[in-house]
Amino acid sequence: MKIDKAYCNELKESITPYLARELYFDEESEYYGQKLNFSCDSNECSVELVGVNIYNEKKPKKALHYRTKKNLKHSSECDYFLKNSGASQTEVNKKRKEEGFKITRYPSEFLLNRPKTSNRSSGNVKIEEYEEEIEPFVRNIAGSSGSSSKESVLKTSSLENMVDCYLHGDFDILNNQNLTIGNKTKKFMHFFKKIKYYQDEIGLIYWGNVKEIKKYGKNYRIVFKDRPTVDNISYSVSIYIENELIEKYRKRKLFRSQIDSIIDTQEEVLCFFVGTYPQFIEVEKNKEKFKVLGVTIDNLDHIAFTFGV
Ligand SMILES: [Zn+2]
């Protein structure tokens, strides 16, 4: 069985695979480089789970999740086991169900600024994703089984979490559930915009295929394949990333490794970014001046890649 939340033995809390990934790659985290131990978070069960895709530097296009360790089974009293044995499982959006894994938790807000905590050890979980209890009528989709009178909402600063929901989530939920980013709230699905059509709206999550990465010393330029058309002229669009920004990033090794992988890879790579918007900049080449579209990123939490198909 594949699920998207697990009890972490070390943290003594239930966490998403995105937080497990964050802790593993955050060089300032006390769990940096440490593969944590997970078990089912149902009260009636404590079967051991393992993370799938969590520790891959090259984040695959597939969604992160947990699965039951080989040859082990959930207790027959386990909530997940009971949910999965019902009829409801067969009727969900089959074409988007990935090898038996179904996303069940969709963030209601992407936090552009990762909340800070002064208490590093116990606050680690809460700053990455936190859940608040809300009345169920505020969010009545996603098939609440309704035993408690309140439901929780998930807020996250993981762009990869947003991307996985977009690429693999249930269409009905994506089209109906609200998502908030900054001062904008709209349906989850409508927050994602191909870079080619960036002019449609400001303040969204833009994405496209990476054409190439150009290296300028220790700085990089990520060039998109698609060229947006402005006033009947098509323009190259790219993101320029300075070494200085990478150096002060808490996941600098991961970021560099991803960038270097893209330079070498023949695989399809998608790049997503948020919190910024393409702007025209004038560049000079061979004494000729021309305009290109540039994206300025000042927070590397606002960019995410997926590798492969
Ligand atoms: Zn279980």
Side-chain angles (χ1 to χ4, degrees):
M1 202 188 299
K2 300 174 177 183
I3 48 183
D4 52 9
K5 194 171 185 183
Y7 182 80
C8 172
N9 300 353
E10 288 83 357
L11 295 168
K12 304 202 171 9
E13 287 215 51
S14 293
I15 64 171
T16 66
Y18 301 94
L19 180 53
R21 179 171 172 80
E22 170 66 34
L23 295 172
Y24 183 78
F25 285 111
D26 177 357
E27 292 162 49
E28 290 155 22
S29 142
E30 60 183 294
Y31 300 103
Y32 172 58
Q34 197 180 324
K35 290 184 180 173
L36 303 171
N37 295 294
F38 300 102
S39 54
C40 180
D41 80 340
S42 165
N43 288 335
E44 312 301 328
C45 177
S46 57
V47 69
E48 254 182 279
L49 302 175
V50 289
V52 179
N53 298 330
I54 293 177
Y55 307 115
N56 281 1
E57 289 187 336
K58 288 160 70 177
K59 161 80 179 62
K61 209 168 175 183
K62 293 179 174 173
L64 307 185
H65 57 272
Y66 302 101
R67 66 164 172 78
T68 318
K69 221 172 184 178
K70 272 208 172 73
N71 304 323
L72 297 180
K73 281 199 172 87
H74 289 258
S75 143
S76 58
E77 301 294 304
C78 165
D79 295 337
Y80 294 100
F81 176 82
L82 293 171
K83 248 188 248 170
N84 274 277
S85 54
S88 62
Q89 185 67 10
T90 53
E91 61 204 40
V92 288
N93 243 315
K94 275 186 197 133
K95 60 183 173 202
R96 293 217 105 191
K97 233 172 78 184
E98 192 184 296
E99 294 160 23
F101 171 62
K102 181 171 84 91
I103 292 173
T104 63
R105 303 164 79 245
Y106 295 79
S108 63
E109 184 172 353
F110 174 75
L111 304 165
L112 285 165
N113 295 305
R114 198 165 158 259
K116 294 246 185 308
T117 175
S118 50
N119 185 346
R120 270 189 55 180
S121 51
S122 69
N124 235 335
V125 176
K126 299 295 172 209
I127 64 165
E128 286 311 323
E129 50 188 31
Y130 55 91
E131 296 188 77
E132 345 176 288
E133 300 283 298
I134 54 159
E135 297 300 326
F137 60 80
V138 179
R139 199 192 70 159
N140 54 14
I141 44 169
S144 71
S145 49
S147 56
S148 75
S149 64
K150 291 188 172 177
E151 258 189 272
S152 63
V153 292
L154 174 68
K155 300 184 181 190
T156 181
S157 59
S158 165
L159 185 57
E160 288 176 341
N161 191 350
M162 314 301 295
V163 168
D164 280 354
C165 289
Y166 172 65
L167 294 176
H168 307 289
D170 183 294
F171 282 125
D172 289 340
I173 296 174
L174 293 172
N175 282 318
N176 285 298
Q177 183 167 311
N178 280 339
L179 168 65
T180 299
I181 302 180
N183 52 15
K184 195 174 273 241
T185 298
K186 57 200 296 159
K187 301 301 175 200
F188 202 113
M189 197 68 165
H190 301 163
F191 252 110
F192 286 78
K193 183 67 76 181
K194 281 188 174 168
I195 186 75
K196 201 171 178 179
Y197 307 112
Y198 82 95
Q199 291 167 98
D200 288 357
E201 194 174 337
I202 203 163
L204 305 179
I205 298 172
Y206 305 92
W207 67 278
N209 279 282
V210 175
K211 183 186 167 206
E212 61 177 333
I213 296 215
K214 292 183 176 166
K215 228 175 156 174
Y216 303 90
K218 284 181 170 175
N219 305 331
Y220 302 95
R221 184 182 296 284
I222 303 163
V223 186
F224 285 95
K225 228 177 231 175
D226 271 342
R227 295 167 63 96
T229 303
V230 183
D231 298 329
N232 296 321
I233 302 170
S234 89
Y235 291 94
S236 163
V237 55
S238 61
I239 308 176
Y240 190 68
I241 293 171
E242 288 191 359
N243 182 51
E244 204 177 292
L245 186 64
I246 305 173
E247 276 306 300
K248 61 182 187 199
Y249 188 44
R250 66 186 189 288
K251 294 185 281 186
R252 58 190 83 79
K253 280 188 194 148
L254 173 67
F255 190 82
R256 266 191 212 290
S257 150
Q258 288 186 328
I259 286 279
D260 290 337
S261 302
I262 302 173
I263 295 173
D264 296 332
T265 192
Q266 301 298 317
E267 279 179 296
E268 179 185 88
V269 178
L270 301 180
C271 174
F272 297 77
F273 66 88
V274 67
T276 178
Y277 194 67
Q279 305 279 355
F280 277 111
I281 42 173
E282 204 173 56
V283 292
E284 203 179 310
K285 202 175 179 184
N286 303 332
K287 290 190 177 166
E288 210 180 310
K289 282 184 180 167
F290 58 99
K291 284 200 294 185
V292 295
L293 282 165
V295 178
T296 308
I297 291 267
D298 56 16
N299 180 348
L300 292 178
D301 284 336
H302 293 174
I303 185 165
F305 304 101
T306 66
F307 291 79
V309 287

